[in-house]
Amino acid sequence: MVTYSESGVDIDFEAVTVSKLASKLKSTLEYRDIITDSGHYAALVRLGDKGIAMSTDGVGSKILIAKMMEKYDTIGIDCIAMVVNDILCVGAEPIALVDYLAVEEPNPEMAEEIAEGLVKGAIESRIAIIGGETASLPGIIKDFDLAGTGIGFVDTDKIISGEAITPGNVLIGLESNGIHSNGYSLARNAIFEKAGLTVNDKMPNSDITLGEELLKPTRLYVKPIVDLLKKDFDIKGLAHITGGGFTNLKRLKDGVGYEIKDLPEIQDIFKLIYEQGVPIEEMYRVFNMGIGFVVIAEEEEADEIMNNLKEYCNCYKIGKVIEEDKITVETFEVTTIEY
């Protein structure tokens, strides 16, 4: 059996750590008019009739795949995506980002490749990279780390916090582009340690290599979601499905649950990881399992919303909001798991 904890990442202990940190920082909130509670995808600060959204994130251990492949021109897209996709979740439009590149020692060629990805992600997201910081930290950083902090804005009367979610609402899932940027410690353990494969081995049923599959950049959902928000739809909630899988939906509203049972056919990369002995419950708790973003809306508007989204990417009705405070997922094994 291969688990995330055995691969070096304990999600539960990580949550306790975050809670300890957040509880100490909470006292600072009194100095500004903060709209969203801690734990949402993006923080919102009131500035007149606008909400200024902020989010920060990094690429994570996907960087190790880039190092294996000696290919660094896509991870910048991941950095942008992990930040701007979170900003979208409060109904805000991302507008700018600053990056942080920490290195063991300067490497101009690698930095140039990383910048290429950042530019691609920024163009696709229609944001400006307005500055950043590069730090050489020998003894602290091994190789390098890449992160970003982004801002966006939304009219305060158009904020989507998730509080409007009610039982019976429909979950519309937007297709992911593979693993995105979460769960790589588990993926690397299963694929390279347990299966004994290398980045140069071919993916099942494909001409691309494992390295190419694992480096596919995180899908950017800015264009479909911003376009959707400009239409006259009553969107109840928005969720970026990252590490934690569908448990991310719990970040939107307390006191409701979600029934997920119509997911698209599982992607080959997830099948490969599962076949190395990762428990099914762990798969759906760690990975996005083919759905990278979720829109929650009234059932009457679902078909029209999907027609709009399909102009940009595949999407599916994957379930509904329920009264019970739990998440149930019908897996590709046609078994139901509960979180």
Side-chain angles (χ1 to χ4, degrees), residues 106-145:
N107 185 329
E109 292 78 16
M110 183 183 70
E112 186 175 27
E113 281 195 57
I114 291 170
E116 289 176 14
L118 288 168
V119 170
K120 288 177 185 176
I123 291 172
E124 178 69 17
S125 303
R126 298 178 286 203
I127 65 168
I129 299 178
I130 58 176
E133 173 72 10
T134 301
S136 296
L137 302 171
I140 298 176
I141 291 291
K142 179 67 175 173
D143 299 316
F144 72 98
D145 193 19

Side-chain angles (χ1 to χ4, degrees), residues 100-243:
Y100 177 73
L101 176 63
V103 298
E104 183 178 15
E105 60 182 13
N107 185 329
E109 292 78 16
M110 183 183 70
E112 186 175 27
E113 281 195 57
I114 291 170
E116 289 176 14
L118 288 168
V119 170
K120 288 177 185 176
I123 291 172
E124 178 69 17
S125 303
R126 298 178 286 203
I127 65 168
I129 299 178
I130 58 176
E133 173 72 10
T134 301
S136 296
L137 302 171
I140 298 176
I141 291 291
K142 179 67 175 173
D143 299 316
F144 72 98
D145 193 19
L146 177 64
T149 299
I151 61 171
F153 73 97
V154 58
D155 293 339
T156 53
D157 61 348
K158 294 183 179 178
I159 291 170
I160 300 173
S161 68
E163 284 303 309
I165 294 171
T166 57
N169 289 162
V170 173
L171 307 182
I172 300 168
L174 282 67
E175 190 174 59
S176 72
N177 190 29
I179 295 182
H180 284 181
S181 291
N182 297 103
Y184 271 79
S185 294
L186 177 55
R188 288 185 294 106
N189 189 0
I191 293 170
F192 302 133
E193 300 297 327
K194 186 70 183 295
L197 300 172
T198 73
V199 291
N200 296 316
D201 286 315
K202 294 289 186 181
M203 274 289 295
N205 310 310
S206 176
D207 290 330
I208 71 170
T209 66
L210 270 167
E212 290 169 330
E213 172 66 34
L214 292 171
L215 271 189
K216 282 182 180 178
T218 304
R219 177 159 277 162
L220 290 151
Y221 296 103
V222 175
K223 286 182 178 178
I225 298 302
V226 169
D227 182 55
L228 190 69
L229 294 174
K230 290 178 178 177
K231 305 288 177 63
D232 190 26
F233 292 117
D234 184 16
I235 306 300
K236 304 295 186 179
L238 298 165
H240 185 197
I241 306 303
T242 56

Side-chain angles (χ1 to χ4, degrees), residues 1 34 59-60 91 98 113 126 131 150 171 204 221 223 244 292 297 304 336:
M1 185 171 69
I34 308 301
V59 180
V98 293
E113 281 195 57
R126 298 178 286 203
L171 307 182
Y221 296 103
K223 286 182 178 178
E304 192 174 352
T336 300

Side-chain angles (χ1 to χ4, degrees), residues 35 76 99 127 183 188 215 241 291 299 322:
I35 300 171
D99 66 276
I127 65 168
R188 288 185 294 106
L215 271 189
I241 306 303
I291 296 295
E299 185 173 8
I322 58 176

Side-chain angles (χ1 to χ4, degrees), residues 2-11 14 57-65 78 82 178-192 214 218 241-245 248 269-270 272-274 278 282-289:
V2 183
T3 66
Y4 210 12
S5 179
E6 291 171 351
S7 303
V9 180
D10 188 325
I11 295 177
E14 190 175 85
D57 209 338
V59 180
S61 64
K62 190 171 187 174
I63 281 172
L64 297 177
I65 307 298
D78 291 293
M82 295 304 292
I179 295 182
H180 284 181
S181 291
N182 297 103
Y184 271 79
S185 294
L186 177 55
R188 288 185 294 106
N189 189 0
I191 293 170
F192 302 133
L214 292 171
T218 304
I241 306 303
T242 56
N248 280 281
I269 185 62
F270 298 118
L272 178 62
I273 294 169
Y274 173 67
V278 179
E282 192 85 336
M283 291 294 300
Y284 284 84
R285 190 183 184 215
V286 173
F287 300 112
N288 66 62
M289 300 306 288

